[in-house]
């Protein structure tokens, strides 16, 4: 039975030595290539993650693009589309009905 002592055990010494601690904190978020390597490790390293990432990115980008183009289309064609025309038609019909009711009420009063 050997007792592992902090200073004498090479495994322990290597794990907690100054060089290993410096290596541990060597790679920070400010170094060039850090984010690229993290993206690679998290999303592209395995084939299953690669395919899942491509599908998710395609779905999100398609949803965003469709929403953006629909908003642009509605903005460029406002006043010409059916919902806008329907509001105008309903407003005109309501005004015509109110006008007819006012005219019929004035006839009834005479």
């Amino acid at each position: 039975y050997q007792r592992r002592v902090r200073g004498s055990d090479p495994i322990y010494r290597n794990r907690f030595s100054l060089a290993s601690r410096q290596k541990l904190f060597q790679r920070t978020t400010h170094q060039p290539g850090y984010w690229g390597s993290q993206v690679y490790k998290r999303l592209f390293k395995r084939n299953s993650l690669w395919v899942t990432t491509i599908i998710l990115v395609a779905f999100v980008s398609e949803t965003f693009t469709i929403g953006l183009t629909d908003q642009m289309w509605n903005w460029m064609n406002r006043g010409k589309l059916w919902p806008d025309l329907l509001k105008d038609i309903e407003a005109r019909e309501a005004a015509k009905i109110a006008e007819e009711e006012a005219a019929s009420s004035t006839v009834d009063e005479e």
Side-chain angles (χ1 to χ4, degrees), residues 85-99:
L85 295 176
L86 184 63
K87 289 177 188 175
D88 292 342
I89 292 170
E90 288 175 349
R92 287 181 190 165
E93 287 178 358
K96 186 186 281 186
I97 290 172
E99 205 176 277

Side-chain angles (χ1 to χ4, degrees), residues 27-106:
R27 216 151 158 82
T28 63
T29 58
H30 303 292
Q31 286 186 341
Y34 175 79
W35 292 110
S37 65
Q38 290 301 314
V39 168
Y40 173 76
K41 285 179 188 175
R42 305 272 190 252
L43 301 178
F44 303 131
K45 194 168 187 178
R46 293 186 301 190
N47 189 38
S48 60
L49 291 176
W50 171 254
V51 171
T52 305
T53 302
I54 289 175
I55 290 171
L56 288 177
V57 167
F59 178 76
V60 169
S61 63
E62 180 184 7
T63 304
F64 177 75
T65 305
I66 288 173
L68 183 66
T69 54
D70 283 347
Q71 284 183 342
M72 286 176 55
W73 178 265
N74 290 334
W75 178 74
M76 292 170 61
N77 293 308
R78 62 178 177 240
K80 303 174 192 174
L81 300 174
W82 174 246
D84 301 331
L85 295 176
L86 184 63
K87 289 177 188 175
D88 292 342
I89 292 170
E90 288 175 349
R92 287 181 190 165
E93 287 178 358
K96 186 186 281 186
I97 290 172
E99 205 176 277
E100 289 173 357
E101 288 177 359
S104 67
S105 66
T106 56

